[in-house]
Amino acid sequence: MLTLEEQERQAYTAGNIALAAALAARIDAEDALAAAEPAREELQSEIAHLKRILADALEDDCWRERAAAAIAD
């Protein structure tokens, strides 16, 4: 079975530009999806970290006083 890249080359060679362009777009989309997953996992990890920070801040009794002092500066 031919890879998508091989099919794309054959389509160009045969002069079927529309098929070659569609195959190229599919290759690009699959590459983008593969690259997006690690970024998504990293963002989810960052969101979880920020949620922990927020939870800690909400448990802190003097956060309002610090916020008021920061605003007053």
Side-chain angles (χ1 to χ4, degrees):
M1 184 168 189
L2 298 175
T3 66
L4 291 175
E5 289 83 1
E6 292 168 334
Q7 292 176 42
E8 178 190 11
R9 278 192 297 278
Q10 284 186 355
Y12 274 122
T13 302
N16 191 341
I17 304 303
L19 176 59
L23 288 165
R26 178 175 171 190
I27 292 166
D28 291 346
E30 288 180 358
D31 290 346
L33 283 173
E37 187 58 32
R40 181 175 175 244
E41 290 173 3
E42 185 177 329
L43 286 173
Q44 287 176 329
S45 175
E46 181 67 17
I47 289 169
H49 175 71
L50 292 171
K51 284 181 178 180
R52 286 190 299 275
I53 291 172
L54 289 170
D56 291 344
L58 289 174
E59 290 177 10
D60 186 357
D61 290 340
C62 61
W63 70 271
R64 287 191 176 124
E65 292 170 9
R66 285 198 310 260
I71 292 171
D73 288 345

